[in-house]
Amino acid sequence: MALTTAPGRTPRTGPVGPRPTRRGAGRARYGEGLAGYVFLSPWLIGLMGITALPMLLSLWLSFTDYDILTPLSEVRWVGLANYERMFTADPSYWHAVRVTLTFALVAVPLKLAAALGVALLLNRTWRGVGLFRGLFYLPSLLGGSVALAIVWVNMFNRDGAFNSFLALFGVEGLPWVADPDWALQTLMVLAIWQFGAPMVIFLAGLKQVPVELYEAAAVDGAGVWRRFRAVTLPMLSPVIFFNLVLETIHGFQGFTAAFVLSNGTGGPVDSTLMYTLKLYISGFTDLEMGYASAMAWVFLLAIALITAVFFSTGRFWVHYSDGGDDS
Amino acid sequence: MTAVTAGAGRRRPRNRQALRLLVLVVIVAVVLYPLVWMLGTSVKSQAEIVNNIGLLPEDFTPGNYVEGWTNFDVGFGRFFLNSAMVSLLTVVGNALSCLLAAYALGRLRFRLRKVWFTVMIGTLLLPGHVLIVPQYILFRSLGLVGGDWPYLPLLVPHFLATEAFFVFLMVQFMRGIPRELDEAAKIDGASPYGVFRHVILPLSRPALVTTAIFSFIWTWNDFFRQLVFLSTLQDYTVPVALTLFIDSTSQSAVGPMFAMSVLSLLPVFLFFLAFQRMLVEGINTSGLKG
């Protein structure tokens, strides 16, 4: 970029006379390389010390039987034993994988469907739309708080509010959160209930769809459903993609609600043993930090793999309009 | 579509509008029910919690709040102070360090800038659970876990801009600040530091406010890291303290537990009321998660 005087701005002439423009600009340019690293230094220190070094340490630990009580210098290298145990000798590990996959596969699509449905209902301009938007967003904001998880668990107790509601129709409820067949579903409902964040992103996407497209489709005789399928869905596909990736990664990391429901055990009968909870129990309850590190690395690779799969399949269904509009 | 009379033509969209509103009101009722129920239960007496299935108490009793507040030896006030301190210092750390990094990555030209930017984007996807074990070991070997000031493991990462999300948010924001302002300041003899101080810092207020709000709410609600790093009762933050109620599974604790849950959500709720517009628009532009 050329270093010229910005339009509409004349060089200042003060008591000291005209500034030595060329020298001043040159000096600023001269210091930019160093200044870049000065400003970047906190982040760089953080990257090295808080992110990169722990990652290397964690990779090394995953090949050891580190238990935090023995000093790091005396840790025993065990090769692939942790990974072997994880994949072949620890049924509760596979169970945790299944619980997490089930949770993500069911809760994420339903949450996105709810988000899109409500966004479509709200996609009109009228008084009060802002209030609705805010109220739907509120549960997402309270998100992973312990307080919300506590409320949820109590609501789906044997004598909780949900069963009282069922009783109005003469249906006898279950102790949902204590029932191994239903505890995970209770957590799914909690996740779906927090559809506000993707909903707001959908709303922003819907605002970008040109009205002319709907008008053209209507002129061609397309009904509501046809217009949704032929106009809304393709135009919205980049936003759907964005939400899908974000919510899936988010879903894999669910911890707080599962911890609160089971008091940190993953119960009843391991039915809510989410991957991150299993990792926490291995590392901080059983103090098997080498084993937990191996688990963490598989988790990282799994998330990277899933993201990669999303991005490689995305080009078959995500539609990007060429130029973008001029607004 | 067949021809309809003018009157029917006008009524149809209005009916549809009414139906739309009705559906929305029903969904809002479902969405808000758990929150209202929590509020109602927190002011019910023990007997009413068991017997009265209604949303609101017949007999308003604030006793749960008194009982909850004075629970667990050190009292809930202590937990709230701890949480407030951790959250506020996190806000300061995030806002400062992420702004510095964003200025470097978004506005300055230096060697390897593109490489660092790519690395920053990469850390955006890194789940915190992956780093928790080695970070715990590192902080512990430095004597910072359960040390004189047990909050350092929670705070240090935020003063080193490790929350890539906010760095990214601010880089995006800074792209919108006209380059001409930098150039003009440079011509007036300003160094990169001067440009930061006199151009970027004052203009970044909106991004700083967004960062502050979200880092406060996230830290206030965070549980995982606080659970791992805090081990002494008097150091507990609110989320960790709330789990003490679950440990003491006795039925009589339900009222105080709900009262403290309500109080713990209060700061977030007040933020929500104050910044509702901004919060909702903030996730529009950045995809921030609640």
Side-chain angles (χ1 to χ4, degrees):
Chain A
M1 197 181 294
L3 275 177
T4 51
T5 313
R9 177 148 185 149
T10 47
R12 232 172 42 183
T13 44
V16 288
R19 293 263 167 154
T21 310
R22 203 181 54 82
R23 201 180 134 240
R27 199 178 50 193
R29 188 75 121 107
Y30 178 68
E32 213 170 296
L34 178 66
Y37 276 94
V38 171
F39 280 102
L40 203 59
S41 55
W43 177 82
L44 270 174
I45 296 169
L47 177 75
M48 301 304 170
I50 309 282
T51 309
L53 180 64
M55 281 186 77
L56 290 176
L57 180 61
S58 147
L59 187 61
W60 175 66
L61 285 173
S62 76
F63 299 109
T64 70
D65 63 354
Y66 186 56
D67 62 359
I68 203 138
L69 304 170
T70 20
L72 271 175
S73 52
E74 291 166 31
V75 162
R76 208 163 51 96
W77 178 271
V78 296
L80 289 169
N82 285 326
Y83 293 93
E84 217 178 299
R85 174 179 162 203
M86 220 157 73
F87 292 133
T88 59
D90 184 357
S92 88
Y93 174 80
W94 280 114
H95 185 74
V97 170
R98 259 197 312 276
V99 167
T100 310
L101 284 176
T102 312
F103 178 82
L105 280 174
V106 177
V108 172
L110 289 177
K111 182 179 185 177
L112 291 183
L116 182 57
V118 176
L120 287 169
L121 283 172
L122 282 181
N123 188 30
R124 288 284 191 283
T125 326
W126 39 280
R127 276 189 312 143
V129 78
L131 176 73
F132 277 103
R133 226 171 39 159
L135 291 176
F136 287 130
Y137 181 56
L138 184 58
S140 299
L141 190 68
L142 303 175
S145 64
V146 170
L148 214 57
I150 285 178
V151 169
W152 209 260
V153 168
N154 280 275
M155 205 163 72
F156 288 91
N157 261 343
R158 172 172 283 294
D159 39 37
F162 185 62
N163 281 346
S164 310
F165 173 75
L166 289 182
L168 295 179
F169 304 95
V171 178
E172 200 191 333
L174 291 165
W176 306 97
V177 289
D179 187 326
D181 293 333
W182 288 98
L184 188 64
Q185 275 85 330
T186 319
L187 294 184
M188 290 177 184
V189 177
L190 172 59
I192 297 161
W193 180 64
Q194 294 168 342
F195 63 80
M199 178 206 76
V200 172
I201 297 170
F202 276 136
L203 266 175
L206 286 171
K207 295 262 185 293
Q208 302 293 316
V209 181
V211 186
E212 299 90 69
L213 288 183
Y214 288 111
E215 283 163 0
V219 169
D220 288 348
V224 175
W225 173 241
R226 188 67 204 272
R227 268 177 285 168
F228 175 71
R229 256 191 38 206
V231 179
T232 312
L233 277 186
M235 293 303 285
L236 212 55
S237 56
V239 184
I240 296 174
F241 181 72
F242 177 80
N243 270 336
L244 185 66
V245 174
L246 218 65
E247 289 298 332
T248 306
I249 294 176
H250 191 66
F252 275 120
Q253 299 183 44
F255 176 82
T256 307
F259 182 97
V260 169
L261 187 145
S262 64
N263 200 7
T265 64
V269 205
D270 281 357
S271 60
T272 61
L273 189 67
M274 296 284 284
Y275 198 100
T276 50
L277 190 52
K278 167 81 180 158
L279 196 157
Y280 172 83
I281 293 170
S282 299
F284 296 98
T285 310
D286 303 341
L287 295 182
E288 297 182 309
M289 295 206 161
Y291 191 45
S293 297
M295 235 177 264
W297 269 90
V298 173
F299 189 54
L300 179 65
L301 294 179
I303 287 194
L305 184 73
I306 286 164
T307 313
V309 167
F310 272 138
F311 275 90
S312 59
T313 55
R315 62 200 167 96
F316 296 115
W317 60 272
V318 178
H319 165 96
Y320 292 102
S321 47
D322 306 316
D325 54 25
D326 50 0
S327 63
Chain B
M1 200 186 287
T2 51
V4 286
T5 63
R10 276 207 345 245
R11 209 164 54 236
R12 263 189 65 123
R14 200 174 287 176
N15 279 347
R16 204 181 286 171
Q17 183 76 346
L19 184 68
R20 180 193 295 268
L21 191 65
L22 183 72
V23 173
L24 280 172
V25 168
V26 170
I27 303 174
V28 163
V30 173
V31 165
L32 290 188
Y33 184 90
L35 299 174
V36 178
W37 180 70
M38 164 173 69
L39 208 59
T41 308
S42 77
V43 289
K44 281 180 181 174
S45 67
Q46 183 55 35
E48 257 199 275
I49 288 173
V50 179
N51 297 321
N52 174 11
I53 62 163
L55 261 187
L56 297 172
E58 281 155 20
D59 186 20
F60 177 88
T61 40
N64 290 328
Y65 284 84
V66 180
E67 201 181 312
W69 190 259
T70 53
N71 233 325
F72 308 121
D73 301 335
V74 292
F76 244 81
R78 177 68 186 255
F79 305 139
F80 271 88
L81 273 180
N82 294 342
S83 263
M85 186 183 57
V86 169
S87 303
L88 292 177
L89 286 173
T90 299
V91 166
V92 173
N94 265 341
L96 266 179
S97 63
C98 294
L99 189 70
L100 295 181
Y103 176 57
L105 292 172
R107 294 298 265 207
L108 297 177
R109 274 158 289 182
F110 54 92
R111 291 184 54 166
L112 297 179
R113 188 192 65 140
K114 285 224 167 82
V115 174
W116 294 128
F117 185 77
T118 311
V119 172
M120 189 273 290
I121 296 295
T123 62
L124 208 60
L125 285 173
L126 195 66
H129 308 87
V130 175
L131 297 171
I132 197 83
V133 168
Q135 279 187 4
Y136 180 84
I137 293 166
L138 279 180
F139 282 119
R140 190 170 177 271
S141 60
L142 293 171
L144 297 179
V145 175
D148 293 337
W149 216 61
Y151 305 110
L152 282 174
L154 297 175
L155 294 172
V156 168
H158 293 297
F159 278 86
L160 297 175
T162 49
E163 191 102 68
F165 211 96
F166 295 119
V167 180
F168 181 64
L169 178 96
M170 289 192 193
V171 167
Q172 293 294 86
F173 178 82
M174 280 183 199
R175 285 188 173 153
I177 300 176
R179 283 264 174 199
E180 285 81 5
L181 296 175
D182 297 26
E183 303 297 344
K186 275 184 202 166
I187 284 159
D188 283 353
S191 66
Y193 311 97
V195 172
F196 176 75
R197 170 75 190 77
H198 297 291
V199 179
I200 301 296
L201 185 63
L203 288 177
S204 296
R205 256 225 324 255
L208 285 173
V209 172
T210 308
T211 300
I213 294 167
F214 276 102
S215 39
F216 180 87
I217 293 173
W218 288 354
T219 315
W220 187 271
N221 280 342
D222 176 48
F223 175 57
F224 189 62
R225 289 188 74 87
Q226 295 169 18
L227 174 75
V228 167
F229 283 112
L230 303 177
S231 50
T232 316
L233 181 74
Q234 60 192 5
D235 301 332
Y236 277 6
T237 49
V238 172
V240 187
L242 279 175
T243 60
L244 294 172
F245 282 113
I246 313 168
D247 290 338
S248 70
T249 43
S250 74
Q251 271 300 305
S252 63
V254 169
M257 177 168 78
F258 269 65
M260 292 305 104
S261 295
V262 170
L263 284 190
S264 82
L265 292 178
L266 206 59
V268 179
F269 189 68
L270 291 178
F271 264 86
F272 171 75
L273 285 185
F275 299 105
Q276 201 247 98
R277 260 188 88 85
M278 252 194 79
L279 289 170
V280 171
E281 270 153 25
I283 65 165
N284 265 355
T285 47
S286 59
L288 279 169
K289 297 283 304 156

